[in-house]
């Protein structure tokens, strides 16, 4: 029973998923700090960035506005830090044509000739 569990845990997909979760948690903290910085800048430019108390006509729209701004900042950060570089890398890989193999050097030709000579003996 423990061997089966060990095999399951050590399977490549599970280990990859565990690494992805750990990296995502760390990246989430970076993005959270980035959102805090951006919200502070917004606060410096136009007053407090926390609109939670704003409720025109008794409808609490402030929380929705604050969360929407945070979401847009997170989406922009993920796009510019992850998606755009990966798209650029994928385009470079797709556009890259494999170079033609070069002609073998003189050393390789000599070694090939020696190998063929030894095989014929």
């Amino acid at each position: 029973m423990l061997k089966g569990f060990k095999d399951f845990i050590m399977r490549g997909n599970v280990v990859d998923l565990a690494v992805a979760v750990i990296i995502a948690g760390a990246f989430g903290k970076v993005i959270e700090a980035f959102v805090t910085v951006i919200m502070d800048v917004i606060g410096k430019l136009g007053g407090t960035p926390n609109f939670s108390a704003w409720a025109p006509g008794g409808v609490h729209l402030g929380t929705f506005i604050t969360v929407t701004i945070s979401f847009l900042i997170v989406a922009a950060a993920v796009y510019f830090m992850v998606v755009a570089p990966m798209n650029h890398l994928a385009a470079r890989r797709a556009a890259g044509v494999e170079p033609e193999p070069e002609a073998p050097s003189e050393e390789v030709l000599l070694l090939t000739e020696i190998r063929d000579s030894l095989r014929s003996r």
Side-chain angles (χ1 to χ4, degrees):
M1 183 170 152
L2 290 178
K3 183 183 180 325
F5 180 72
K6 179 184 172 191
D7 292 341
F8 170 74
I9 292 297
M10 296 310 291
R11 195 178 299 164
N13 294 343
V14 174
V15 174
D16 291 343
L17 181 61
V19 170
V21 168
I22 292 168
I23 295 294
F27 186 69
K29 290 181 182 182
V30 170
I31 296 299
E32 191 175 313
F34 183 71
V35 167
T36 302
V37 168
I38 296 298
M39 291 299 272
D40 288 345
V41 170
I42 291 172
K44 297 288 184 192
L45 295 176
T48 179
N50 187 356
F51 305 104
S52 298
W54 188 57
V59 178
H60 297 283
L61 293 177
T63 303
F64 175 73
I65 292 171
T66 301
V67 172
T68 302
I69 291 171
S70 295
F71 170 76
L72 291 174
I73 293 169
V74 169
V78 169
Y79 177 77
F80 289 113
M81 291 181 185
V82 177
V83 175
M86 288 302 293
N87 287 344
H88 180 69
L89 181 62
R92 283 181 55 191
R93 285 184 178 167
V97 178
E98 293 294 322
E100 293 295 323
E102 295 180 15
S105 66
E106 290 182 33
E107 293 86 10
V108 172
L109 291 173
L110 180 60
L111 288 171
T112 304
E113 185 179 326
I114 291 169
R115 180 197 63 201
D116 294 343
S117 174
L118 289 173
R119 279 188 183 164
S120 65
R121 289 186 184 182

